[in-house]
């Protein structure tokens, strides 16, 4: 390979940052390369401190979940801090992410950094900035296996599900099996607890919202709904909007990396530049690039964790064409998070299709309330769907027509109605998936793809 093809480009050069930002990036990078064991082998690829920091990032590999797992938490603790001592001093905890497919990672959890990252994200949305103080009452509706108190065989009291200023609305992780009584209880608790912020898995809150609308229940309006834990579907947002007449913001991050993007009041997602840097790796044009691509996250200022170019596993769509009406200009701005790489499907011709593209197409199908599309072969797609307030056959026909526009005339699409769709463990909905997963590295524009060790 000639040297020219080895030079990798950085998308960060096209973004605007505050003057001190490149320095923070450089500090995070130097700490990783020179004071953190897990990055020892990366040092030989670093073009050195004399090079611009974004070029230094671009010359490095991506950090995968597999490496987080094999190196273990101690490998990512800088400056020889000792995890055992941190645990004894109650300064940190060890938290395992609840991955379902053998990709569980144990993370060092340092609460002050997490809180700072969350507070920084609030600054990127006018409603959050106005009401989120860090002392506000917050109700949470998500899988109790991700956060809260799981109890699948019985029920817990409201007191048992309350922790300080947080109320966890459900101890049950499968909304498709929630009883009417359980959802009535959630509404009653929202009315007595009166949260300022309601934080929710969009699919979970959508299920509750459909119940509220169907039963015409009165429900307390929080000042803000924050959607997190999974990528919201157009359908979910619409169902939530019918039950709650309040601002909705999507917050994007990961247990490993903290808060990475926050949706502003104008509906775009802004990078949390105070606590992270994001490298954008565009897909090749035939797969939706250069606006669609993957992201790698580097975190700042966590004394217990050095994370550089972490492949967070999601696909995003940039919004680089016009400044956001909210006036925020710093860092990467996204039009949307398009779903995870494991949610990618392909057309019969082999072109990548994001979960977001599928969702946009199905979002206009009247009567469709939940769906899941599985690509079973190179040109075969199977849709499972739930409908409400509409006959099944026209919903199926409209959904198949919408999918045909996405996958093209050669696609063979079948559809089956179901009562409801259950989330995958530990409680996240999968909207689209290919039975044989795609290699996401093969979709990248080679000029930007991460270097190999
Ligand atoms: Zn904005």
């Amino acid at each position: 390979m000639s040297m020219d093809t080895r030079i990798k480009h950085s998308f960060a050069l096209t973004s605007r940052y505050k003057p001190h930002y490149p320095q923070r990036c450089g500090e995070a990078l130097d700490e990783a390369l020179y004071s953190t064991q897990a990055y020892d082998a990366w040092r030989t690829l670093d073009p050195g401190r004399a090079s611009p920091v974004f070029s230094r990032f671009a010359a490095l590999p991506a950090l995968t979940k597999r490496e987080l797992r094999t190196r273990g938490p101690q490998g990512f603790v800088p400056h020889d801090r000792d995890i055992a001592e941190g645990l004894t001093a109650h300064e940190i905890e060890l938290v395992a992410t609840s991955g379902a497919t053998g990709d569980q990672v144990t993370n060092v959890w340092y609460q002050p950094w997490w809180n700072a990252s969350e507070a920084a994200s609030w600054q990127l949305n006018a409603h959050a900035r106005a009401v989120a103080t860090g002392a506000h009452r917050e109700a949470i509706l998500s899988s109790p296996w991700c956060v809260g108190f799981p109890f699948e065989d019985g029920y817990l009291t409201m007191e048992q599900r309350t922790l300080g200023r947080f109320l966890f609305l459900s101890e049950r992780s499968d909304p498709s099996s929630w009883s009417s009584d359980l959802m009535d209880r959630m509404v009653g608790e929202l009315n007595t607890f009166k949260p300022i912020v309601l934080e929710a898995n969009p699919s979970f809150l959508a299920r509750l919202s459909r119940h509220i609308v169907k039963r015409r229940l009165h429900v307390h309006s929080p000042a803000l709904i924050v959607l997190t834990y999974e990528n919201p579907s157009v359908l979910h947002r619409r169902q939530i909007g019918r039950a709650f007449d309040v601002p909705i913001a999507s917050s994007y991050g990961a247990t490993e990396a903290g808060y990475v993007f926050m949706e502003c009041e104008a509906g775009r997602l802004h990078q949390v530049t105070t606590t992270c840097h994001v490298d954008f790796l565009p897909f090749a044009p035939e797969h939706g690039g250069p606006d669609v691509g993957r992201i790698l996250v580097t975190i700042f200022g966590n004394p217990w964790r050095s994370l550089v170019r972490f492949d967070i596993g999601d696909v995003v769509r940039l919004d680089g064409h016009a400044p956001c009406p909210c006036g925020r200009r710093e860092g990467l701005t996204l039009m949307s998070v398009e779903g995870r790489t494991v949610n990618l499907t392909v057309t019969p011709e082999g072109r990548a299709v994001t979960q977001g593209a599928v969702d946009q197409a199905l979002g206009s199908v009247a009567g469709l309330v939940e769906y899941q599309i599985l690509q079973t072969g190179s040109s075969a797609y199977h849709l499972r769907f739930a409908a409400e307030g509409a006959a099944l056959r026209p919903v199926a026909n409209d959904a198949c027509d919408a999918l045909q526009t996405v996958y093209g005339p050669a696609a063979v699409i079948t559809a089956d109605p179901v009562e409801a769709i259950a989330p995958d463990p530990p409680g996240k909905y999968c909207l689209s998936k290919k039975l044989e997963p795609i290699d996401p590295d093969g979709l990248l524009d080679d000029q930007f793809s991460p270097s190999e060790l």
Side-chain angles (χ1 to χ4, degrees):
M1 191 182 284
S2 78
M3 278 310 288
D4 282 345
T5 57
R6 290 176 62 93
I7 294 171
K8 298 297 180 183
H9 293 269
S10 169
F11 222 89
L13 293 167
T14 64
S15 293
R16 288 167 57 152
Y17 301 102
K18 288 204 173 120
H20 66 273
Y21 182 88
Q23 191 188 330
R24 295 208 80 181
C25 289
E27 286 162 5
L29 187 52
D30 286 339
E31 183 172 70
L33 296 179
Y34 298 101
S35 304
T36 311
Q37 191 196 340
Y39 300 96
D40 283 351
W42 290 27
R43 246 178 262 153
T44 53
L45 292 171
D46 179 17
R49 288 172 178 144
S51 298
V53 71
F54 298 136
S55 303
R56 293 178 67 195
F57 274 123
L60 297 171
L63 178 66
T64 63
K65 276 198 179 184
R66 190 178 58 247
E67 284 167 279
L68 289 184
R69 214 167 37 243
T70 53
R71 296 265 176 185
Q74 184 67 51
F76 295 91
V77 178
H79 306 296
D80 294 327
R81 279 172 181 260
D82 186 65
I83 288 182
E85 285 174 16
L87 290 170
T88 307
H90 301 290
E91 195 178 341
I92 52 168
E93 290 172 67
L94 291 179
V95 173
T97 55
S98 37
T101 50
D103 62 349
Q104 284 183 332
V105 172
T106 301
N107 298 284
V108 176
W109 187 270
Y110 179 57
Q111 191 69 44
W113 184 82
W114 184 267
N115 291 350
S117 169
E118 183 177 33
S121 78
W122 292 333
Q123 300 305 309
L124 299 173
N125 177 286
H127 306 291
R129 187 178 186 150
V131 302
T133 58
H136 59 276
R137 274 190 316 287
E138 191 164 313
I140 296 170
L141 181 56
S142 87
S143 169
W145 297 101
C146 296
V147 59
F149 304 96
F151 199 64
E152 305 284 5
D153 301 327
Y155 294 97
L156 301 173
T157 65
M158 188 171 169
E159 193 181 12
Q160 288 171 315
R161 286 176 286 104
T162 304
L163 189 66
R165 64 189 179 90
F166 300 104
L167 168 64
F168 299 90
L169 287 168
S170 180
E171 60 275 68
R172 301 287 188 99
S173 63
D174 179 2
S176 71
S177 69
W178 286 350
S179 68
S180 290
D181 285 348
L182 176 59
M183 289 187 281
D184 285 345
R185 188 197 76 184
M186 293 179 195
V187 173
E189 290 182 358
L190 284 170
N191 292 341
T192 36
F193 187 71
K194 293 189 175 23
I196 305 296
V197 172
L198 170 55
E199 182 180 279
N201 262 42
S203 58
F204 282 50
L205 187 56
R207 176 74 194 92
L208 179 64
S209 296
R210 298 203 300 275
H211 177 75
I212 290 168
V213 170
K214 198 171 170 186
R215 300 289 177 98
R216 299 183 181 178
L217 301 176
H218 162 76
V219 63
H220 165 77
S221 290
L224 176 68
I225 290 174
V226 176
L227 302 180
T228 183
Y229 306 110
E230 58 183 10
N231 195 31
S233 158
V234 172
L235 299 175
H236 294 148
R237 282 191 83 129
R238 190 179 304 140
Q239 291 159 19
I240 293 165
R242 284 185 187 131
F244 295 90
D245 184 18
V246 303
I248 299 174
S250 189
S251 170
Y252 170 87
T255 309
E256 295 89 352
Y259 291 76
V260 180
F261 287 96
M262 178 72 172
E263 182 180 349
C264 73
E265 58 281 7
R268 300 189 197 180
L269 290 130
H270 295 280
Q271 181 196 336
V272 185
T273 53
T274 315
T275 49
C276 72
H277 169 67
V278 178
D279 278 310
F280 175 72
L281 311 176
F283 282 174
E286 63 269 32
H287 296 301
D291 282 351
V292 174
R294 285 157 56 196
I295 51 172
L296 307 178
V297 181
T298 297
I299 65 171
F300 304 147
N302 184 338
W304 284 97
R305 189 114 160 118
S306 169
L307 207 66
V308 172
R309 285 170 66 82
F310 172 59
D311 182 359
I312 204 162
D314 286 290
V315 180
V316 304
R317 184 180 297 275
L318 287 187
D319 176 36
H321 302 296
C324 185
C326 79
R328 296 178 184 87
R329 299 282 180 271
E330 207 189 339
L332 275 188
T333 304
L334 307 181
M335 183 70 85
S336 57
V337 176
E338 290 280 303
R340 303 188 61 70
T341 51
V342 293
N343 299 128
L344 287 165
T345 50
V346 291
T347 65
E349 295 77 28
R351 186 173 53 80
V353 175
T354 65
Q355 176 180 283
V358 171
D359 195 57
Q360 280 294 332
L362 289 176
S364 55
V365 175
L368 183 69
V369 292
E370 285 183 346
Y371 71 87
Q372 188 173 68
I373 182 124
L374 182 66
Q375 181 170 11
T376 53
S378 59
S379 59
Y381 309 83
H382 183 63
L383 174 76
R384 297 165 67 234
F385 72 97
E388 276 178 20
L392 292 175
R393 187 171 293 272
V395 172
N397 290 343
D398 289 354
C400 288
D401 287 350
L403 290 170
Q404 208 83 54
T405 63
V406 173
Y407 292 111
V412 179
I413 299 162
T414 52
D416 272 327
V418 294
E419 280 294 311
I421 292 170
D424 292 340
K428 297 189 183 192
Y429 273 79
C430 169
L431 300 177
S432 68
K433 190 161 82 172
K434 189 168 181 289
L435 206 53
E436 295 260 325
I438 298 162
D439 171 18
D441 289 343
L443 306 174
L444 295 174
D445 181 332
D446 191 50
Q447 290 184 87
F448 295 89
S449 64
S451 301
E452 285 174 23
L453 269 175

